Amino acid sequence: METLGGVKDEQATREYLEWNLDHWERYGHGLWILRERRDGPVIGRALLRHLFVEGGDEVEVGYSFNPEYWGQGYATEIATTLVRLGFEQLNLSAVVAITMVTNEASKRVLMKAGLEPAGETIHAGSSHSLFRTLARSPSPAATVDRHGGGSQVQS
């Protein structure tokens, strides 16, 4: 949480959870908790959710793992799966991802998952690298539901 605005107090945590539940209700996708195999320990989280980037409503691919699970291929596996899910199941025309400018490992993961560098953006008060990829052959109906306007990420 250090790179996403700091640790939240009880009220901010409650608001964050309510926002994520509302996102699921509104869009049918959002934040997942990741476990190691069936009933294993929580190893991290992943998400496909709306994020305002440079004034536009985008759908973000995101992931975070507990440090003891870094370097084991989980991030590449989930990022690739989320991109595929966004295009094949949700019919999105594009997905984005952000990572701290200094996070070279995450940048490599995002490129392996098919996203390309698209500049920098400010998120949670600090500079982040922005990545984007477009669906290879979007259908005419492949658009993000922008009704309801999405919500700004408050991670």
Side-chain angles (χ1 to χ4, degrees), residues 4-135:
L4 296 175
V7 176
K8 298 179 182 332
D9 63 18
E10 185 175 339
Q11 179 61 32
T13 299
R14 191 175 312 279
E15 291 170 4
Y16 175 77
L17 293 172
E18 289 172 4
W19 184 88
N20 278 288
L21 291 171
D22 179 62
H23 189 282
W24 268 101
E25 182 76 24
R26 183 178 292 174
Y27 300 108
H29 58 87
L31 177 68
W32 287 274
I33 298 301
L34 303 174
R35 293 185 172 274
E36 190 175 63
R37 304 216 190 272
R38 176 173 249 152
D39 299 325
V42 171
I43 64 172
R45 65 188 181 125
L47 57 88
L48 268 175
R49 67 179 175 198
H50 288 259
L51 172 73
F52 279 101
V53 177
E54 300 172 352
D57 185 12
E58 305 271 4
V59 175
E60 173 193 18
V61 167
Y63 53 86
S64 173
F65 289 90
N66 298 336
E68 61 268 28
Y69 296 97
W70 292 357
Q72 298 181 37
Y74 289 121
T76 301
E77 182 179 354
I78 196 65
T80 302
T81 299
L82 291 170
V83 169
R84 188 175 64 245
L85 177 67
F87 293 146
E88 294 178 5
Q89 300 295 315
L90 301 178
N91 294 317
L92 300 174
S93 59
V95 294
V96 299
I98 58 173
T99 189
M100 293 294 294
V101 172
T102 57
N103 192 337
E104 296 300 324
S106 193
K107 291 177 186 180
R108 285 189 300 275
V109 166
L110 294 172
M111 288 188 279
K112 286 179 188 176
L115 289 102
E116 297 178 4
E120 290 187 13
T121 189
I122 301 297
H123 176 71
S126 61
S127 186
H128 283 70
S129 294
L130 174 65
F131 287 76
R132 177 176 279 113
T133 190
L134 304 175

